[in-house]
Amino acid sequence: MKGLNPDRRGSVRFPVNLEVRYSVLGHCVPAESGSGRTIDMSSSGLSFTTDRPLSIGQRLDLSIDWPVLLDGGAQLQIVASGVVVRTSGAVTAIRMERHDFRTRGARPRLVPH
């Protein structure tokens, strides 16, 4: 076993604590949705808490509001798709198959009259 890394992840995971929203994909329409908090993430995977148990092999769409504003005002969001590869109680890990940063509509600024 010398020289073998017991952690089989291909990318370094970084601890991140952000709200995550997910949809379990069914045939043609989302079967169920839920929310949780991220635990750690990399470019190829994500672990997070869930509000209900998920099963290995389920396909998910996820969205995470990123805590940094783009150009001083546009909210960034990570939108990802993946498959559940591990579960342990309320903690789920997915292998991300696709992820993108997207902008959400800028929040309207209140202008005093």
Side-chain angles (χ1 to χ4, degrees), residues 25-97:
L25 300 179
H27 296 289
C28 301
V29 296
E32 61 183 87
S33 60
S35 62
R37 304 281 308 171
T38 61
I39 297 169
D40 59 32
M41 65 189 309
S42 72
S43 62
S44 60
L46 168 70
S47 64
F48 61 102
T49 62
T50 59
D51 53 3
R52 67 178 58 88
L54 298 175
S55 300
I56 293 174
Q58 286 183 305
R59 302 186 73 72
L60 306 178
D61 280 342
L62 303 106
S63 63
I64 303 165
D65 287 336
W66 201 243
V68 177
L69 298 178
L70 179 66
D71 293 331
Q75 176 71 48
L76 285 173
Q77 184 178 59
I78 296 176
V79 177
S81 295
V83 62
V84 175
V85 293
R86 278 189 311 282
T87 64
S88 177
V91 175
T92 296
I94 67 160
R95 180 183 66 245
M96 284 195 281
E97 297 174 336

